[in-house]
Amino acid sequence: MTRTAGFDRHSGSREMARRVSVGEVEPDHFLEEALARAREADSGTDALGIFLSLSRKGSGGGQVDGLLAGVPVAVKDNLCTRELPTTCASRILEGYLSPFEATVVRRLREAGGRVVGKTNMDEFAMGSSTENSGYRPTRNPRDSARVPGGSSGGSAAAVAAGIVPCAFGSDTGGSVRQPASFCGVVGIKPTYGRVSRYGLVAFASSLDQVGTFGATVEDATRLLQAVAGHDPRDSTSSERAVPDWLGALDSGVEGLTVGVPEEYFTDELDSEVDRVCREALERLREAGARIREISLPHTRYAVPTYYILAPAEASSNLARYDGVRYGVRAPEAESIEGVYEESRTRGFGEEVVRRIMLGTFALSAGYYDAYYGRAQKVRSLIAGDFERVWEAGVDVVFTPTSPTPAFRLGERTRDPVSMYLSDIYTVTANLAGIPGISLPVGAVEGLPVGGQFLAPMWEEARMLGAAHTLEALLEGTPPRGNEAGRNGGGR
Ligand code: GLN
């Protein structure tokens, strides 16, 4: 049975917006189609578990001439929306209705886009498989026995299942790029400060960035183009002008110097993923790019550094869920301490508790310098590695997005460290504040493999152009994994 119809690779969001703006179809035509597909994908015994809530028809407003006119978009459940709950897939925020809307959601609507629904995720974006959702896991549309990656697994799956051409995620340590690679779609993490975080529920504020998914590089770029740029409501958002990224997609790779870091092609890397990535590099070389071996020597400290800094920031950001100001309150508690304790014990899942404990420990008196202080220093060294490479004339860096293709549900839930290691190639970009993109570059046994481009801060254009070129070079080879599987038949 074909559960998802999929979108033509060459039309996607651009063609939808065109058809809506010339009046060929009703403004809510694609929204209604997407809602029907979403219901289908999430129903029955083999439900994919993609959405936590769905919009009602016609809730998008009347705009018909924006960049995203009538384009249905899925929104990760840690971005505040007024009409739908924002739960971060946590029980502690069950039913929470935000009184305000995230800037990216507002800009999406102003560009004519339609919110289809809120997508499943790892609770508070902590995880790499969407199995840490407080509600249900999401399954990978390419192979339903596998995870979609995380934490933005629902959004990646919504695109992979052909429900929407574009979706929002958030990327603190890889949560857009890693699920994009597992699901065979495109995921962009922009430069820190490029996109407003206003209305993004904070996980680790110095690392968090809203990112976009697309069926193609163009789809993901179109959504990013519509929402990027300064926002007075986020003091960390940059005042730099946003370039015409869509216009820069055809820049090509002729003369581009692509750095290939030896530290990302080691024994931890699955040998087939290695092969697929090297073939992609070969295509780039044939198209005129210069491929250069480089070294980013502090890479091996990235995961331990991230797992000090991110939990430290999380422990402070999550202090607000106390059953009083935010969160579901434990009804039977008899004292104020009891309210805090009971509400937090019931509301938070195991991984969130683990992070809060790790973070609180790292920040505690006597340990602060040894852990948090030191991790901050290593963070600068990691950023310095990239600085040196750019100064030496490298334009973009190319790496695998994740060391393996999508793993099976349940395979890593008992071993947090094995789960953390799936972020080994993605956390560096967050620590350094630089932009990254993952795109499908091939398949291993029917499972998609993602390749990642990284670029200097504010140089998204370069990275998007390189990705768009590689996508075209790989056209014809099946780069998205299992297209004829249980759900992919209609693609
Ligand atoms: N998987 C990483 C973590 O669990 C990254 C999550 C993210 O980017 N939100 O923290």
Side-chain angles (χ1 to χ4, degrees), residues 279-402:
E279 279 169 15
L281 281 165
E282 195 45 36
R283 297 289 91 74
L284 289 168
R285 200 185 55 73
E286 289 162 4
R290 282 189 289 261
I291 310 299
R292 196 197 287 177
E293 297 282 327
I294 58 164
S295 173
L296 296 165
H298 296 94
T299 301
R300 67 195 170 101
Y301 303 115
V303 166
T305 302
Y306 173 84
Y307 278 97
I308 296 287
L309 295 179
E313 295 188 27
S315 71
S316 115
N317 276 327
L318 269 57
R320 75 191 69 172
Y321 305 102
D322 53 12
V324 179
R325 284 170 297 172
Y326 294 91
V328 171
R329 183 181 304 193
E332 72 287 1
E334 284 170 1
S335 63
I336 185 70
E337 285 81 12
V339 169
Y340 295 163
E341 201 177 311
E342 278 300 304
S343 305
R344 287 169 73 82
T345 303
R346 279 178 189 210
F348 289 142
E350 193 184 333
E351 183 62 23
V352 173
V353 170
R354 183 180 295 120
R355 303 283 178 112
I356 293 172
M357 287 170 56
L358 276 171
T360 306
F361 177 76
L363 291 174
S364 58
Y367 295 100
Y368 184 93
D369 291 336
Y371 292 101
Y372 189 76
R374 206 191 265 182
Q376 289 287 29
K377 288 184 188 142
V378 181
R379 179 178 189 171
S380 316
L381 294 174
I382 290 167
D385 280 358
F386 284 104
E387 276 307 313
R388 226 162 298 117
V389 161
W390 312 133
E391 276 161 26
V394 169
D395 296 310
V396 292
V397 162
F398 182 79
T399 80
T401 306
S402 188

Side-chain angles (χ1 to χ4, degrees), residues 76 125-128 150-151 170-176 203 306-307 310 355 420 423:
K76 189 175 181 179
M126 298 172 186
S128 309
S151 65
S170 67
D171 192 313
T172 303
S175 280
V176 167
F203 164 7
Y306 173 84
Y307 278 97
R355 303 283 178 112
Y420 297 172
D423 305 326

